[in-house]
């Protein structure tokens, strides 16, 4: 059952990311992330209702302006890195979360999304996710990213 | 006919994307107002003539559902069309909102074509391509 849920989460994640950012991805083993250089950013959103929990997305910091630019139809240089980029990443996670919940609980599920928040992800946090069964690994273009779904 | 449209979403990204989609869809816009939550939107609705509200559900301070409830209380929901634009569109909630008077629902992510379709249906005026 858990594997079916994670498969639905994986498919939904890749579909929404492609639609919103025009970036293509594929599932990879999470250990790929251990080889990644640079800082990571962690976006999280909580949800309540028929299904409750938290969805998290960790992406390389240098990739966030590109995500924002693709969503907004701008060039990465036009993105205000401190303001617009985190907001865009939060919005991406917001949309992913809505679709993930409906994928695992059905369109009839009644739920509420909280406001997304974005923080820096420490290397220790990321390393601990590699063996965490609630987290999935993806290669998004050239970027190793992690998606975590924790339900109550 | 040029419309005064109010965008209600706490994300500046979403407001920028909707604004761009409206222009790409050829919707004739007179004035485009923006609010970061339902409370700000109600203040604009009290002060300005608005032809259409495009509103998110999940927002801090006042969410979209509460904003619609206030518009039901003051009767504004009968004269100002409200369309929900959200990724949290579970069927029970959308039905509740439609029962309150919300005209339509646009699920994120959306296309300019979907925006235009809904604007045309809600306003009863075909937009220019």
């Amino acid at each position: 059952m858990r594997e079916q849920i994670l498969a639905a989460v994986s498919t939904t994640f890749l579909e929404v990311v492609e639609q919103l950012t025009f970036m293509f991805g594929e599932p990879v083993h999470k250990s790929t992330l251990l080889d990644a250089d640079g800082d990571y950013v962690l976006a999280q959103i909580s949800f309540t209702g028929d299904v409750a929990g938290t969805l998290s997305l960790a992406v390389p910091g240098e990739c966030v302006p590109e995500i924002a630019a693709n969503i907004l139809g701008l060039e990465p240089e036009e993105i205000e890195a401190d303001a617009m980029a985190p907001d865009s990443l939060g919005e991406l996670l917001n949309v992913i979360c809505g679709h993930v919940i409906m994928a695992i609980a059905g369109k009839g599920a009644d739920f509420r999304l909280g406001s997304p928040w974005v923080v820096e992800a420490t290397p220790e946090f990321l390393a601990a996710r590699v063996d965490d069964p609630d987290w999935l690994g993806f290669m998004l273009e050239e970027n190793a990213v992690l998606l975590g779904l924790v339900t109550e | 006919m040029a419309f005064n449209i109010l965008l209600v979403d706490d994300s500046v990204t979403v407001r920028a994307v909707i604004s761009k989609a409206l222009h790409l869809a050829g919707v004739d816009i007179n004035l485009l107002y923006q609010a970061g939550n339902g409370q700000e939107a109600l203040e604009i609705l009290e002060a300005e003539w608005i032809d259409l509200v495009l509103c998110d559900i999940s927002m801090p301070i006042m969410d979209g559902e509460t904003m619609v409830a206030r518009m039901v209380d003051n009767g504004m929901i009968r004269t100002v069309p409200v369309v929900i634009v959200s990724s949290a569109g579970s069927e029970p909630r959308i039905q509740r909102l439609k029962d309150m008077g919300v005209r339509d629902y646009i699920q994120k992510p959306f296309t300019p074509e979907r925006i235009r379709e809904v604007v045309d249906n809600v306003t009863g005026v075909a937009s220019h391509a």
Side-chain angles (χ1 to χ4, degrees), chain A residues 16 19-20 71-74 83-84 87-88 91 94-95 97-99 102 107-116, chain B residues 9-14 16-17 20 56-60 63 65 86-93 96 105 107-109:
Chain A
V16 173
Q19 287 177 47
L20 262 181
I71 292 174
L72 290 160
L74 300 172
M84 202 64 123
D87 184 81
S88 295
E91 179 56 24
N94 179 297
V95 178
C97 191
H99 285 260
M102 287 189 281
K107 290 189 175 180
D110 203 0
F111 62 92
R112 288 177 182 275
L113 300 181
S115 295
Chain B
D9 199 303
D10 57 321
S11 166
V12 292
T13 300
V14 174
V17 169
K20 194 165 193 169
D56 190 16
I57 295 176
S58 303
M59 294 178 288
D63 64 21
E65 206 163 349
S86 177
S87 56
S90 66
E91 286 175 352
R93 175 176 285 183
R96 275 201 305 274
Y105 165 63
Q107 186 174 37
K108 300 175 187 173

Side-chain angles (χ1 to χ4, degrees), chain A residues 48-99:
Chain A
T48 57
D50 292 345
V51 56
T54 303
L55 188 69
S56 307
L57 176 65
V59 303
E62 63 183 18
C63 154
V64 179
E66 183 183 356
I67 290 173
N70 287 353
I71 292 174
L72 290 160
L74 300 172
E75 294 298 324
E77 302 77 42
E78 297 177 271
I79 298 297
E80 296 174 36
D82 292 339
M84 202 64 123
D87 184 81
S88 295
L89 184 64
E91 179 56 24
L92 172 63
L93 185 64
N94 179 297
V95 178
I96 292 168
C97 191
H99 285 260

